[in-house]
Amino acid sequence: MAQPDYEKYYVPDSSPWPIVGAVALFLIAVGAGNFVIEQTKGTSGYGGYILTAGFATLIFMLFGWFRNQIHESMSGLYSDQLGRSYRQGMAWFIFSEVMFFAAFFGALFYARMISIPWLGGSGNNAATNEVLWPAFQAMWPLVQTPGGTETEAMGWYGLPLINTVILLISSVTCHFAHVALEENKRGRLKLMLGITVLLGAIFMSLQVEEYIHAYQEMGLTLQSGVYGNTFFLLTGFHGLHVTLGAIILFIMLLRIFKGHFTPENHFAFQAGSWYWHFVDVVWVMLFFFVYIL
Amino acid sequence: MSTVTDTIHHENDLHEHHAPPSGIKRWLYTTNHKDIGTLYLWFAFIMFLTGGAMAMVIRAELFQPGLQIVEPNFFNQMTTVHGLIMVFGAVMPAFTGLANWLVPMMIGAPDMALPRMNNWSFWILPFAFLILLSSLFMEGGGPAFGWTFYAPLSTTYSGDSTALFVFSVHIMGISSIMGAINVIVTIFNMRAPGMTWMKMPLFVWTWLITAFLLIAVMPVLAGAVTMVLTDKFFGTSFFDAAGGGDPVMFQHIFWFFGHPEVYIMILPAFGIISQIVPTFARKRLFGYASMVYATASIALLSFIVWAHHMFTTGMPVFAEMFFMLATMLISVPTGVKVFNWVATMWRGSMSFEVPMLFALAFIVLFTIGGLSGLMLAITPVDFQYHDTYFVVAHFHYVLVTGAIFSIMAAVYYWLPKWTGKMFDITLAKWHFWCSLISVNVLFFPMHFVGLAGMPRRIPDYALQFADFNKWISLGGFAFGLSQFIFLALLIKACRKQGDPVSDQVWEGAEGLEWEIPSPAPYHTFETPPVIK
């Protein structure tokens, strides 16, 4: 009962790339697990090598898989319906990333609003404070932990504020790049996307500088209590995502120089730009809850 | 629910098919939803037997009071890995396998929306469990902190293998998230023309909502294991009060994942039962729309009840009240479902084929598990029941006689469609009756020892529990052995032994999957059917 206007949904033939990717993740997990054990115990082993081999396999897989897909897309095998599948898939993936960050934000809120006040004796927890650490006073940022570790709090002005501005501008340039692509203005597209990637790189280098400053001058480390924990895990995972997003956009830039993408057909670019806006929104939340408040 | 034009057959025959490649490459490289569904189901069954073997070790040790067979630390590893395997290796992959096989056929789609990612999300699973299982042989043993890996058991008092546990859970999570994205996009984007939302079979509806839950909470589990990793190996103190954290915070994060997780393991079961009961009662499902709304309500409520697992941690009284009442609220939509199944059977012309037997057992036994859950929801009562065998009885009633019985019902219901041959009915009936009797001998007395105060996750117990534990262990061994009947039946079915079946297979079965040939061709609905 074929309908005249029905375009066949492209179901790819069997592909070797997923199983290569499965081996890659296996090597990464085994390698990372052993690497962590060896690093923290100071023993020697093969963890690092397995981990490196895993990442190499993953990169190999990504190149192969995406080469296939780009080829299929450019030979016109993809229907609008398939484009919708990709877009919806990407949107749900970003939602899962939001929930990943939510776990760490949850930890931050719990520590601030519940565990630290309770340790300080608020509510009906006077005995907790009295028995465990009578000298401890609830505070945020937690510059002195109940166990006695001392640190300094990271201010929001200076580097973090500059970084916020950089990332917000990059989100705007990324949007303009998208508009330029849809209007088929390739020159403006290259310029705007180039600026976006550059701003991403500047953001990351400033972030590295902030970490060095925190470790060397402020004594704010991953070990300095729950303030340092939430600070480094939230900003660290965000930085990882910015790096990934910048790499994605950089590859899009290379593809644009090769003449890929049309105003109608540019899912990969769109997915990369969604991802970039997502890391921006996470940063705004971070800036507000980790730095300012 | 839906009627379809009668030309589907011929149309499928006219298409030229890519024959599946032969040998191991077919299974390694496949992008076909039916192949991947089969892989998921066999993997789940192998994991079910593996996790079951661990349960046999546990029951052998508990057969008598005293320590006789295994070391306590090994006993703890068995309870931990048994739980992890059954949750992430058996029940969840089995449901994903069923979704792979059935969702495209039920909505008239040519395949899953993202077929290559579908392959990837399956093939990373065996590797994840290879890592988890091999960690049992590491120095210091595998994970021994319970499947819930509470801090500080998993952070301060655990072995090196924790690192491998963390990364294997990460891979399981990636697999589930990719699988769920695939299901959700398939349902949103691949429905045949005319397959409107409220015409979708309930199995599709329940899986849609399950997929949403998976995408929402699996990343939270990833966050929880990451914090365990940094607490254990990199000196953070998320779960350590000396650094301003709190071990109870672990439980909050874990159960924010964990409670939706238990509905992830039961909502598809509700869908399966809602497919099977109307077929064998030869009536339409009673209250289709209310089933959809009830499923959605259960899913939404599942996000605000997590702390009922933590009543004894010393939360403020208002929090205990809130979580108690929210939890009890869930019994309303669940009651709607049980009522609708019973009402579907009311005055139906019932017949009792094997899938229906499992479905009926599900309705009765799952309800027992639901009622003991309601008892556990009452905060002051939970103070008595917490961490006793009563809890073990409760969740095994909902997971074994609930989730796993529904999976078995589903396999018996759709197996003839997959293979084109009727399974061995005699073996199937033996499997049903042996499982039904033994599973109740196994789990029902756990209520009694639990109420009398026997703690869970303990390799030894007080003498007064000896008689009941002997019966529990005997029931356990019998239930374990009964599954070999199922294995024999499945091997026979995969060798295509048995009588050929009609396309409809079961008199009274309705839906798109019953209108294509039996066995289902390698590719179905390459051009979508039109649903009137």
Side-chain angles (χ1 to χ4, degrees), chain B residues 207-240:
Chain B
W207 239 111
L208 176 69
I209 292 164
T210 303
F212 169 74
L213 289 181
L214 276 167
I215 301 173
V217 300
M218 292 309 284
V220 177
L221 175 69
V225 290
T226 305
M227 287 183 239
V228 165
L229 184 81
T230 58
D231 262 21
K232 175 155 182 64
F233 293 101
F234 298 107
T236 63
S237 39
F238 285 105
F239 310 131
D240 178 4

mmCIF file of all heavy atoms in Angstrom, chain B residues 207-240:
data_model
loop_
_atom_site.group_PDB
_atom_site.id
_atom_site.type_symbol
_atom_site.label_atom_id
_atom_site.label_comp_id
_atom_site.label_asym_id
_atom_site.label_seq_id
_atom_site.Cartn_x
_atom_site.Cartn_y
_atom_site.Cartn_z
ATOM 1 N N TRP B 207 6.803 1.161 26.843
ATOM 2 C CA TRP B 207 8.234 1.279 26.542
ATOM 3 C C TRP B 207 8.629 2.720 26.268
ATOM 4 O O TRP B 207 9.734 3.147 26.608
ATOM 5 C CB TRP B 207 8.641 0.382 25.369
ATOM 6 C CG TRP B 207 9.703 -0.591 25.808
ATOM 7 C CD1 TRP B 207 9.564 -1.924 25.935
ATOM 8 C CD2 TRP B 207 11.049 -0.285 26.203
ATOM 9 N NE1 TRP B 207 10.735 -2.475 26.394
ATOM 10 C CE2 TRP B 207 11.670 -1.494 26.564
ATOM 11 C CE3 TRP B 207 11.799 0.883 26.304
ATOM 12 C CZ2 TRP B 207 12.996 -1.581 27.006
ATOM 13 C CZ3 TRP B 207 13.119 0.806 26.751
ATOM 14 C CH2 TRP B 207 13.696 -0.412 27.092
ATOM 15 N N LEU B 208 7.727 3.484 25.668
ATOM 16 C CA LEU B 208 8.023 4.905 25.445
ATOM 17 C C LEU B 208 8.303 5.588 26.778
ATOM 18 O O LEU B 208 9.286 6.322 26.939
ATOM 19 C CB LEU B 208 6.831 5.570 24.741
ATOM 20 C CG LEU B 208 6.946 7.076 24.516
ATOM 21 C CD1 LEU B 208 8.011 7.378 23.481
ATOM 22 C CD2 LEU B 208 5.616 7.668 24.067
ATOM 23 N N ILE B 209 7.447 5.321 27.747
ATOM 24 C CA ILE B 209 7.597 5.973 29.047
ATOM 25 C C ILE B 209 8.826 5.424 29.777
ATOM 26 O O ILE B 209 9.578 6.167 30.416
ATOM 27 C CB ILE B 209 6.290 5.811 29.847
ATOM 28 C CG1 ILE B 209 5.191 6.645 29.169
ATOM 29 C CG2 ILE B 209 6.465 6.226 31.284
ATOM 30 C CD1 ILE B 209 3.795 6.308 29.593
ATOM 31 N N THR B 210 9.070 4.119 29.630
ATOM 32 C CA THR B 210 10.271 3.531 30.216
ATOM 33 C C THR B 210 11.530 4.160 29.638
ATOM 34 O O THR B 210 12.486 4.467 30.370
ATOM 35 C CB THR B 210 10.294 2.020 29.930
ATOM 36 O OG1 THR B 210 9.097 1.444 30.437
ATOM 37 C CG2 THR B 210 11.489 1.358 30.573
ATOM 38 N N ALA B 211 11.522 4.372 28.317
ATOM 39 C CA ALA B 211 12.704 4.950 27.671
ATOM 40 C C ALA B 211 12.970 6.347 28.213
ATOM 41 O O ALA B 211 14.119 6.728 28.464
ATOM 42 C CB ALA B 211 12.502 4.991 26.158
ATOM 43 N N PHE B 212 11.892 7.107 28.435
ATOM 44 C CA PHE B 212 12.062 8.430 29.034
ATOM 45 C C PHE B 212 12.707 8.314 30.413
ATOM 46 O O PHE B 212 13.654 9.043 30.747
ATOM 47 C CB PHE B 212 10.704 9.140 29.116
ATOM 48 C CG PHE B 212 10.756 10.383 29.950
ATOM 49 C CD1 PHE B 212 11.362 11.528 29.455
ATOM 50 C CD2 PHE B 212 10.235 10.396 31.233
ATOM 51 C CE1 PHE B 212 11.440 12.669 30.241
ATOM 52 C CE2 PHE B 212 10.308 11.528 32.015
ATOM 53 C CZ PHE B 212 10.912 12.673 31.517
ATOM 54 N N LEU B 213 12.218 7.381 31.230
ATOM 55 C CA LEU B 213 12.795 7.202 32.561
ATOM 56 C C LEU B 213 14.279 6.848 32.460
ATOM 57 O O LEU B 213 15.108 7.352 33.216
ATOM 58 C CB LEU B 213 12.061 6.098 33.325
ATOM 59 C CG LEU B 213 10.647 6.381 33.794
ATOM 60 C CD1 LEU B 213 10.095 5.185 34.549
ATOM 61 C CD2 LEU B 213 10.611 7.606 34.694
ATOM 62 N N LEU B 214 14.606 5.960 31.516
ATOM 63 C CA LEU B 214 16.006 5.541 31.369
ATOM 64 C C LEU B 214 16.903 6.728 31.054
ATOM 65 O O LEU B 214 17.970 6.892 31.652
ATOM 66 C CB LEU B 214 16.118 4.509 30.249
ATOM 67 C CG LEU B 214 15.818 3.060 30.622
ATOM 68 C CD1 LEU B 214 15.656 2.229 29.371
ATOM 69 C CD2 LEU B 214 16.942 2.502 31.478
ATOM 70 N N ILE B 215 16.474 7.555 30.095
ATOM 71 C CA ILE B 215 17.328 8.681 29.709
ATOM 72 C C ILE B 215 17.435 9.665 30.871
ATOM 73 O O ILE B 215 18.457 10.319 31.049
ATOM 74 C CB ILE B 215 16.782 9.379 28.448
ATOM 75 C CG1 ILE B 215 16.700 8.375 27.303
ATOM 76 C CG2 ILE B 215 17.683 10.523 28.037
ATOM 77 C CD1 ILE B 215 16.027 8.923 26.068
ATOM 78 N N ALA B 216 16.401 9.747 31.685
ATOM 79 C CA ALA B 216 16.436 10.702 32.788
ATOM 80 C C ALA B 216 17.305 10.221 33.944
ATOM 81 O O ALA B 216 17.934 11.040 34.610
ATOM 82 C CB ALA B 216 15.011 10.989 33.279
ATOM 83 N N VAL B 217 17.347 8.930 34.226
ATOM 84 C CA VAL B 217 18.025 8.520 35.466
ATOM 85 C C VAL B 217 19.335 7.771 35.279
ATOM 86 O O VAL B 217 20.161 7.772 36.198
ATOM 87 C CB VAL B 217 17.106 7.718 36.404
ATOM 88 C CG1 VAL B 217 15.910 8.556 36.803
ATOM 89 C CG2 VAL B 217 16.694 6.402 35.822
ATOM 90 N N MET B 218 19.568 7.131 34.139
ATOM 91 C CA MET B 218 20.858 6.443 33.991
ATOM 92 C C MET B 218 22.037 7.413 34.123
ATOM 93 O O MET B 218 23.055 7.055 34.706
ATOM 94 C CB MET B 218 20.943 5.667 32.676
ATOM 95 C CG MET B 218 20.031 4.464 32.572
ATOM 96 S SD MET B 218 20.098 3.293 33.937
ATOM 97 C CE MET B 218 21.626 2.441 33.600
ATOM 98 N N PRO B 219 21.940 8.650 33.601
ATOM 99 C CA PRO B 219 23.059 9.574 33.806
ATOM 100 C C PRO B 219 23.279 9.910 35.286
ATOM 101 O O PRO B 219 24.406 10.192 35.692
ATOM 102 C CB PRO B 219 22.643 10.826 33.033
ATOM 103 C CG PRO B 219 21.640 10.356 32.049
ATOM 104 C CD PRO B 219 20.918 9.233 32.715
ATOM 105 N N VAL B 220 22.221 9.883 36.083
ATOM 106 C CA VAL B 220 22.380 10.159 37.508
ATOM 107 C C VAL B 220 23.169 9.017 38.168
ATOM 108 O O VAL B 220 24.021 9.241 39.030
ATOM 109 C CB VAL B 220 21.007 10.351 38.182
ATOM 110 C CG1 VAL B 220 21.158 10.565 39.666
ATOM 111 C CG2 VAL B 220 20.273 11.519 37.535
ATOM 112 N N LEU B 221 22.901 7.783 37.724
ATOM 113 C CA LEU B 221 23.700 6.659 38.205
ATOM 114 C C LEU B 221 25.159 6.845 37.814
ATOM 115 O O LEU B 221 26.073 6.602 38.623
ATOM 116 C CB LEU B 221 23.168 5.345 37.620
ATOM 117 C CG LEU B 221 23.991 4.098 37.935
ATOM 118 C CD1 LEU B 221 23.877 3.746 39.402
ATOM 119 C CD2 LEU B 221 23.556 2.914 37.088
ATOM 120 N N ALA B 222 25.385 7.315 36.584
ATOM 121 C CA ALA B 222 26.765 7.562 36.151
ATOM 122 C C ALA B 222 27.423 8.585 37.069
ATOM 123 O O ALA B 222 28.586 8.429 37.465
ATOM 124 C CB ALA B 222 26.778 8.049 34.704
ATOM 125 N N GLY B 223 26.666 9.636 37.440
ATOM 126 C CA GLY B 223 27.208 10.619 38.373
ATOM 127 C C GLY B 223 27.529 9.993 39.719
ATOM 128 O O GLY B 223 28.586 10.249 40.302
ATOM 129 N N ALA B 224 26.635 9.129 40.210
ATOM 130 C CA ALA B 224 26.848 8.503 41.517
ATOM 131 C C ALA B 224 28.106 7.639 41.512
ATOM 132 O O ALA B 224 28.942 7.735 42.425
ATOM 133 C CB ALA B 224 25.628 7.664 41.904
ATOM 134 N N VAL B 225 28.284 6.799 40.477
ATOM 135 C CA VAL B 225 29.481 5.950 40.468
ATOM 136 C C VAL B 225 30.739 6.792 40.292
ATOM 137 O O VAL B 225 31.797 6.452 40.828
ATOM 138 C CB VAL B 225 29.429 4.821 39.402
ATOM 139 C CG1 VAL B 225 28.428 3.762 39.758
ATOM 140 C CG2 VAL B 225 29.230 5.340 38.011
ATOM 141 N N THR B 226 30.617 7.913 39.558
ATOM 142 C CA THR B 226 31.785 8.777 39.400
ATOM 143 C C THR B 226 32.215 9.357 40.749
ATOM 144 O O THR B 226 33.401 9.408 41.069
ATOM 145 C CB THR B 226 31.464 9.909 38.404
ATOM 146 O OG1 THR B 226 31.016 9.325 37.183
ATOM 147 C CG2 THR B 226 32.684 10.754 38.132
ATOM 148 N N MET B 227 31.237 9.774 41.549
ATOM 149 C CA MET B 227 31.579 10.317 42.864
ATOM 150 C C MET B 227 32.166 9.236 43.766
ATOM 151 O O MET B 227 33.079 9.496 44.557
ATOM 152 C CB MET B 227 30.342 10.939 43.508
ATOM 153 C CG MET B 227 29.956 12.254 42.849
ATOM 154 S SD MET B 227 28.548 13.009 43.660
ATOM 155 C CE MET B 227 27.385 13.129 42.341
ATOM 156 N N VAL B 228 31.672 8.002 43.641
ATOM 157 C CA VAL B 228 32.266 6.892 44.400
ATOM 158 C C VAL B 228 33.720 6.708 43.973
ATOM 159 O O VAL B 228 34.620 6.553 44.806
ATOM 160 C CB VAL B 228 31.462 5.588 44.190
ATOM 161 C CG1 VAL B 228 32.270 4.377 44.652
ATOM 162 C CG2 VAL B 228 30.147 5.653 44.944
ATOM 163 N N LEU B 229 33.961 6.783 42.667
ATOM 164 C CA LEU B 229 35.329 6.622 42.163
ATOM 165 C C LEU B 229 36.255 7.694 42.720
ATOM 166 O O LEU B 229 37.341 7.391 43.219
ATOM 167 C CB LEU B 229 35.327 6.681 40.635
ATOM 168 C CG LEU B 229 36.680 6.440 39.966
ATOM 169 C CD1 LEU B 229 36.947 4.945 39.881
ATOM 170 C CD2 LEU B 229 36.738 7.063 38.579
ATOM 171 N N THR B 230 35.815 8.960 42.670
ATOM 172 C CA THR B 230 36.709 10.018 43.147
ATOM 173 C C THR B 230 36.848 9.960 44.664
ATOM 174 O O THR B 230 37.908 10.235 45.198
ATOM 175 C CB THR B 230 36.224 11.415 42.707
ATOM 176 O OG1 THR B 230 34.904 11.622 43.209
ATOM 177 C CG2 THR B 230 36.223 11.558 41.205
ATOM 178 N N ASP B 231 35.783 9.591 45.370
ATOM 179 C CA ASP B 231 35.899 9.474 46.826
ATOM 180 C C ASP B 231 36.887 8.376 47.200
ATOM 181 O O ASP B 231 37.675 8.519 48.124
ATOM 182 C CB ASP B 231 34.532 9.150 47.458
ATOM 183 C CG ASP B 231 33.851 10.390 48.006
ATOM 184 O OD1 ASP B 231 34.208 11.494 47.560
ATOM 185 O OD2 ASP B 231 32.970 10.248 48.883
ATOM 186 N N LYS B 232 36.824 7.267 46.472
ATOM 187 C CA LYS B 232 37.682 6.144 46.840
ATOM 188 C C LYS B 232 39.126 6.370 46.412
ATOM 189 O O LYS B 232 40.041 6.052 47.157
ATOM 190 C CB LYS B 232 37.153 4.839 46.216
ATOM 191 C CG LYS B 232 38.084 3.675 46.485
ATOM 192 C CD LYS B 232 37.409 2.348 46.459
ATOM 193 C CE LYS B 232 38.430 1.262 46.799
ATOM 194 N NZ LYS B 232 38.963 1.399 48.168
ATOM 195 N N PHE B 233 39.329 6.911 45.213
ATOM 196 C CA PHE B 233 40.686 6.924 44.657
ATOM 197 C C PHE B 233 41.326 8.315 44.612
ATOM 198 O O PHE B 233 42.537 8.423 44.542
ATOM 199 C CB PHE B 233 40.682 6.337 43.246
ATOM 200 C CG PHE B 233 40.366 4.861 43.216
ATOM 201 C CD1 PHE B 233 39.107 4.411 42.874
ATOM 202 C CD2 PHE B 233 41.346 3.935 43.555
ATOM 203 C CE1 PHE B 233 38.828 3.052 42.846
ATOM 204 C CE2 PHE B 233 41.065 2.577 43.537
ATOM 205 C CZ PHE B 233 39.799 2.129 43.184
ATOM 206 N N PHE B 234 40.542 9.389 44.610
ATOM 207 C CA PHE B 234 41.152 10.703 44.398
ATOM 208 C C PHE B 234 40.931 11.668 45.562
ATOM 209 O O PHE B 234 41.098 12.866 45.404
ATOM 210 C CB PHE B 234 40.638 11.320 43.092
ATOM 211 C CG PHE B 234 40.980 10.504 41.884
ATOM 212 C CD1 PHE B 234 40.007 9.782 41.224
ATOM 213 C CD2 PHE B 234 42.297 10.428 41.436
ATOM 214 C CE1 PHE B 234 40.327 9.002 40.118
ATOM 215 C CE2 PHE B 234 42.627 9.656 40.334
ATOM 216 C CZ PHE B 234 41.643 8.940 39.672
ATOM 217 N N GLY B 235 40.534 11.143 46.713
ATOM 218 C CA GLY B 235 40.519 11.968 47.915
ATOM 219 C C GLY B 235 39.411 12.994 48.005
ATOM 220 O O GLY B 235 39.503 13.941 48.785
ATOM 221 N N THR B 236 38.329 12.862 47.219
ATOM 222 C CA THR B 236 37.208 13.777 47.425
ATOM 223 C C THR B 236 36.401 13.289 48.624
ATOM 224 O O THR B 236 36.618 12.183 49.136
ATOM 225 C CB THR B 236 36.290 13.845 46.190
ATOM 226 O OG1 THR B 236 35.724 12.545 45.965
ATOM 227 C CG2 THR B 236 37.056 14.279 44.962
ATOM 228 N N SER B 237 35.476 14.130 49.096
ATOM 229 C CA SER B 237 34.714 13.733 50.278
ATOM 230 C C SER B 237 33.236 14.029 50.102
ATOM 231 O O SER B 237 32.602 14.589 50.978
ATOM 232 C CB SER B 237 35.257 14.413 51.523
ATOM 233 O OG SER B 237 35.631 15.725 51.245
ATOM 234 N N PHE B 238 32.681 13.624 48.940
ATOM 235 C CA PHE B 238 31.246 13.777 48.732
ATOM 236 C C PHE B 238 30.468 13.029 49.817
ATOM 237 O O PHE B 238 29.456 13.510 50.308
ATOM 238 C CB PHE B 238 30.839 13.201 47.368
ATOM 239 C CG PHE B 238 31.227 14.059 46.217
ATOM 240 C CD1 PHE B 238 32.298 13.708 45.415
ATOM 241 C CD2 PHE B 238 30.527 15.219 45.940
ATOM 242 C CE1 PHE B 238 32.657 14.504 44.341
ATOM 243 C CE2 PHE B 238 30.882 16.015 44.870
ATOM 244 C CZ PHE B 238 31.954 15.651 44.067
ATOM 245 N N PHE B 239 30.971 11.843 50.162
ATOM 246 C CA PHE B 239 30.218 10.980 51.074
ATOM 247 C C PHE B 239 30.956 10.810 52.398
ATOM 248 O O PHE B 239 30.831 9.794 53.059
ATOM 249 C CB PHE B 239 29.958 9.622 50.402
ATOM 250 C CG PHE B 239 29.389 9.755 49.015
ATOM 251 C CD1 PHE B 239 29.935 9.054 47.949
ATOM 252 C CD2 PHE B 239 28.313 10.600 48.769
ATOM 253 C CE1 PHE B 239 29.415 9.187 46.673
ATOM 254 C CE2 PHE B 239 27.790 10.748 47.496
ATOM 255 C CZ PHE B 239 28.341 10.042 46.442
ATOM 256 N N ASP B 240 31.719 11.833 52.764
ATOM 257 C CA ASP B 240 32.515 11.760 53.981
ATOM 258 C C ASP B 240 32.275 13.043 54.782
ATOM 259 O O ASP B 240 32.579 14.146 54.315
ATOM 260 C CB ASP B 240 33.995 11.618 53.604
ATOM 261 C CG ASP B 240 34.870 11.584 54.830
ATOM 262 O OD1 ASP B 240 34.323 11.592 55.957
ATOM 263 O OD2 ASP B 240 36.104 11.564 54.670
#
